[in-house]
Amino acid sequence: MPNIQPHRIKTISEYHRFMGLPKPEHPLITVINFESIRHLPDAKSMSLVFDFYSVSLKRNFNARIRYGQQEYDFDEGIMFFMSPGQVFGIEFDKEKELKHSGCLLLIHPDFLWNTPLAKTIKQYEYFDYSVHEALFLSDKEETTVINIMQNIEQEYHSNIDKFSQDVIIAQLELLLTYAERFYHRQFLTRKITNHKILDRMEEILTEYFNSDTFVKKGLPTVQYIADMLHVSPTYLSSLLKVLTGQSTQQHIHDKLIEKAKERLSTTSLSVSEIAYELGFEHPQSFSKLFKTKTKLSPLEFRQSFN
């Protein structure tokens, strides 16, 4: 897909107009049935950025979505989440009628204002995952999600009263908690794929720490590891936390300690020399990290071999 200047959509009403939909019932939150969107704006491809949160449940989508540099085809029930300001692209065949089912929940940040969810929504890391790291739903899970979205829709269609926002916020929190549970389940059930990521990460770290790049540039960043694995940094850390209990940064440090142990046990270099070799500006920082990870100081570790 060619690079296209993103079209920014600031309000939910603007999104409805852009997609040729009727005016939304509520200006700050809406649930849209994808089957009601038959024709996208007159272009073969487009790039969009929303100023609001979106939660999509898509099935049988005969177009391609690009998020970052990844493309994704939808042929089964999957769910993905985006925060305000994230750019994504759509490419479709103008000769074919647009087909997709599912629903789209849009939430403007102003709707969350003065509620606990305004802060806690930022804790749900899957809003920073890429489209290709989407949530694959079972039929039962899909039914759960659709029921919650329908509850939200029914609430803002009803007569608005002083309880309406609280009821909708409660439903949103329930939806986000279920999504957290479903992602956790996905990390565990898609073990073959996930273990391939773990194995590949080990290879990348081993190659990096044995290369000139490590000597020249020091520790690899989380972004570097994620890029090499073709996943987003947030997704990688979430996956690792579920499978290993450790973040990406902790895995990098573990590999560093492995290298330090090798240097301490097979060379006569001083602790300071090893610290500098491993990219530390201050030997004390190296010693502190080593002791945190091994319960021994570098000297105590070396002496244990004598």
Side-chain angles (χ1 to χ4, degrees), residues 163-225:
F163 299 102
S164 299
Q165 186 186 32
D166 290 344
V167 170
I168 293 174
I169 291 292
Q171 291 292 321
L172 285 173
E173 289 175 332
L174 181 62
L175 177 64
L176 298 178
T177 302
Y178 268 118
E180 189 95 50
R181 170 191 272 182
F182 297 159
Y183 258 115
H184 194 279
R185 181 269 308 154
Q186 180 165 297
F187 290 143
L188 295 174
T189 55
R190 295 169 71 86
K191 282 186 176 178
I192 294 175
T193 302
N194 294 337
H195 286 178
K196 281 181 181 176
I197 289 177
L198 274 177
D199 292 344
R200 178 64 187 133
M201 186 182 71
E202 279 298 309
E203 290 174 9
I204 290 166
L205 285 172
T206 299
E207 288 169 8
Y208 187 94
F209 278 99
N210 289 330
S211 70
D212 291 340
T213 308
F214 173 56
V215 176
K216 292 174 185 174
K217 295 188 176 180
L219 285 180
T221 63
V222 173
Q223 183 70 57
Y224 171 83
I225 301 298

Side-chain angles (χ1 to χ4, degrees), residues 249-277:
Q249 192 67 59
Q250 288 171 314
H251 277 271
I252 292 170
H253 284 161
D254 283 350
K255 187 59 72 171
L256 176 72
I257 296 302
E258 270 184 40
K259 188 75 175 175
K261 285 180 176 178
E262 175 196 316
R263 304 303 281 162
L264 286 165
S265 59
T266 61
T267 74
S268 58
L269 293 171
S270 69
V271 171
S272 293
E273 287 171 325
I274 292 172
Y276 292 131
E277 188 181 273

Side-chain angles (χ1 to χ4, degrees), residues 241-302:
K241 282 176 193 171
V242 171
L243 295 181
T244 69
Q246 295 196 121
S247 66
T248 313
Q249 192 67 59
Q250 288 171 314
H251 277 271
I252 292 170
H253 284 161
D254 283 350
K255 187 59 72 171
L256 176 72
I257 296 302
E258 270 184 40
K259 188 75 175 175
K261 285 180 176 178
E262 175 196 316
R263 304 303 281 162
L264 286 165
S265 59
T266 61
T267 74
S268 58
L269 293 171
S270 69
V271 171
S272 293
E273 287 171 325
I274 292 172
Y276 292 131
E277 188 181 273
L278 295 176
F280 287 87
E281 290 183 24
H282 307 290
Q284 299 94 319
S285 300
F286 165 66
S287 296
K288 184 178 178 182
L289 177 64
F290 192 92
K291 187 155 190 175
T292 299
K293 289 287 187 180
T294 66
K295 310 302 182 193
L296 296 170
S297 70
L299 280 178
E300 287 169 339
F301 177 82
R302 174 170 270 169

